[in-house]
Amino acid sequence: MRIYWLCLFAAALAACAGSQGYMAEEAPADAGASVSVQMINAPWLQAEQQRRTRRSRQDIGGLLGDTPSPYQIGHGDILTIVVWDHPELGAGAPAAQAQSAPPAGDGAGVPAAGFVVDHDGLVQFPYAGELRLAGLTEEQARALLAERLARYISNPVVTLRVQSYRSQRIYIDGEVRNPGLQAINDLPMTLVEAMNRAGGPLPTADQSRLLLARGEQRYLLNLPQLMQQGVNPARILLRHGDVLQVPSRDESKVFISGEVVAPRALTMHNGRLTLNEAMGEAGGLTPQGDGRQVYVVRRAGGEPQVFQLDARAPGALAMAEAFELEPRDVVYVAATRLANWHRNISQIFPGALSSVVGAAR
C-alpha cells in the first residue's frame, strides 16, 4: 500500500511539472514585458523623496504670489451712504432701491435698506447722478461721491460702507460642517479663513488632498505637508469663483492582499501611509509568504507601475518605512514556490499530499 501511494505522489509531481511546462510554452513571449518592475532601494527612495518635494512646491507655486488688497465693490453689493448734516439725501432714494433689492448675503429674508450696485456697476444718488462704483474700494467710492456732491454742497462729509457683500463668493464642498457658499468681505479670504467659516473639517476629512478649482486650473493641497515644509496655509488667498473640495478619508484607501495575515483595505492617516505601516496593520506575512516578493502596484496616468521590495535584504524595514504609499495603491505579497507547489498538488489531487505523508509515516 505504501508503494501505491508513493507511485501516486510521483505521478502527481509529473503531472504538475507537465502542466507548468505546458503553460510556460503556451504563454506569449512578450507577456508582462510592457510593465517594468522598479526595485525599492536606497538610491531610488532618495530620488523619489526629492521628486515629491519638487512636485508639492510646484503645485502651490501659483497660489502664494497674491497679497491681500482692499475689497473692491461689485455688482449686487448693498452700500450704506450717509452725507453728514444732510439726512434728506439718505432717505427716499435708498428706500426706493431697497424695494427691488434681493435678500442680503447673510440669508435674511428682508432686503437690507441701502443703495444696490446694479448689474452695470452703477449707483444712483441724489445730485450726484449715476456713479460707477464697481471696481472701486470704499475709500475711492467715497472720494468720487464727495467730488460730485461738492458742486451742490459745500465741503460734503460722506460716509460710505459696504453693508452686504454679495458680489464675490467662493464655494466649499465635502467634509466640512457647513458646506456651501461663503461671501468674500473686507477680511482676506485665505484658505484657513474659508475652512473656519465653513465650521472646520469633519473628523472624516482628508486634509492632505484638498482640491482647489480656479478656472481651468486644479491645485492639490496637502495641509500637513505644507506645515512641515514651513509654508503657512494662511498665505493662500482665495478668489471669486474658487471651489474648494474637502474629500473624505474613505476615498483614499490602500489595498493589501496576498500572503498576509489580514488582507484588507487600509485608510490613510492624513494622506500618509508607509509600506511598513501597511504591512504591520495587515498582521505581517503568513508562513507561506515570500518576503522577497512584496509588490506595490500603482496606476499613474493610465499606465501601471510596479515596485518590488525584498523584505529579506538588509535595511529592508528602513526602506519600507521610507516608501510612502499613495491612494488606491495595491500591496501584494506573493507566495513561496513551495506554497505554490503544494497548492498545485492539492488542486490536481485533493488530499493526495496529506495521504502520502500519512502513508510514509
Side-chain angles (χ1 to χ4, degrees):
M1 180 64 68
R2 178 176 300 180
I3 296 176
Y4 167 77
W5 284 113
L6 290 176
C7 292
L8 180 62
F9 180 62
L13 287 178
C16 181
S19 63
Q20 290 179 349
Y22 172 78
M23 292 175 61
E25 181 179 355
E26 294 296 329
D30 59 344
S34 60
V35 179
S36 60
V37 179
Q38 171 64 54
M39 293 299 300
I40 301 175
N41 49 44
W44 181 87
L45 285 172
Q46 184 177 4
E48 177 69 8
Q49 183 62 33
Q50 295 175 354
R51 185 189 66 83
R52 284 176 175 268
T53 303
R54 289 194 303 267
R55 186 180 64 181
S56 63
R57 291 176 179 175
Q58 291 173 357
D59 288 343
I60 64 170
L63 299 176
L64 299 177
D66 296 340
T67 56
S69 58
Y71 179 82
Q72 294 183 347
I73 299 172
H75 62 85
D77 287 343
I78 299 179
L79 309 179
T80 296
I81 302 176
V82 177
V83 182
W84 290 69
D85 297 331
H86 293 275
E88 71 281 359
L89 298 182
Q97 292 200 25
Q99 296 300 322
S100 60
D106 57 0
V110 180
F115 294 86
V116 181
V117 183
D118 64 18
H119 63 281
D120 291 326
L122 302 176
V123 170
Q124 292 185 355
F125 195 82
Y127 298 113
E130 289 187 344
L131 299 172
R132 185 173 299 277
L133 301 184
L136 303 181
T137 64
E138 290 182 348
E139 183 179 356
Q140 293 171 339
R142 188 183 307 116
L144 177 60
L145 179 57
E147 179 183 355
R148 292 283 189 90
L149 293 178
R151 303 173 185 175
Y152 308 97
I153 302 175
S154 177
N155 298 324
V157 179
V158 179
T159 298
L160 185 148
R161 299 283 297 175
V162 178
Q163 181 177 345
S164 295
Y165 298 88
R166 305 189 307 173
S167 63
Q168 302 180 41
R169 58 193 67 186
I170 65 168
Y171 302 89
I172 303 180
D173 191 18
E175 299 299 306
V176 291
R177 299 188 185 278
N178 302 308
L181 179 149
Q182 297 291 336
I184 299 178
N185 54 23
D186 55 336
L187 297 178
M189 180 64 79
T190 64
L191 178 63
V192 177
E193 179 72 14
M195 295 283 288
N196 288 335
R197 291 190 190 182
L202 295 173
T204 56
D206 185 359
Q207 300 186 51
S208 68
R209 298 184 62 81
L210 302 184
L211 181 61
L212 177 62
R214 174 174 296 175
E216 300 297 329
Q217 298 291 328
R218 299 294 183 270
Y219 300 93
L220 189 62
L221 305 176
N222 188 331
L223 290 189
Q225 187 180 67
L226 291 179
M227 298 296 292
Q228 292 178 359
Q229 295 177 353
V231 178
N232 188 353
R235 294 176 51 193
I236 301 177
L237 288 177
L238 303 185
R239 301 177 184 174
H240 171 60
D242 284 353
V243 178
L244 181 63
Q245 174 72 31
V246 183
S248 172
R249 292 175 55 194
D250 291 337
E251 301 176 10
S252 303
K253 287 189 175 182
V254 170
F255 306 93
I256 182 167
S257 61
E259 297 301 323
V260 291
V261 176
R264 65 180 66 185
L266 302 175
T267 302
M268 305 185 75
H269 310 294
N270 274 334
R272 189 180 186 277
L273 185 68
T274 66
L275 179 57
N276 194 32
E277 292 171 339
M279 296 291 294
E281 293 191 27
L285 277 64
T286 64
Q288 294 79 24
D290 187 354
R292 296 170 298 181
Q293 300 187 72
V294 179
Y295 298 98
V296 178
V297 182
R298 175 179 302 165
R299 182 172 294 275
E303 294 294 332
Q305 296 178 338
V306 180
F307 308 93
Q308 181 180 357
L309 174 69
D310 183 359
R312 296 184 179 182
L317 291 179
M319 289 187 290
E321 181 63 25
F323 186 91
E324 296 188 14
L325 300 173
E326 295 185 0
R328 317 303 295 182
D329 277 357
V330 177
V331 180
Y332 178 78
V333 180
T336 61
R337 295 181 178 180
L338 180 60
N340 287 328
W341 173 80
H342 179 273
R343 290 167 184 170
N344 288 332
I345 294 295
S346 301
Q347 290 175 359
I348 298 174
F349 295 102
L353 184 60
S354 300
S355 301
V356 170
V357 174
R361 290 178 179 176

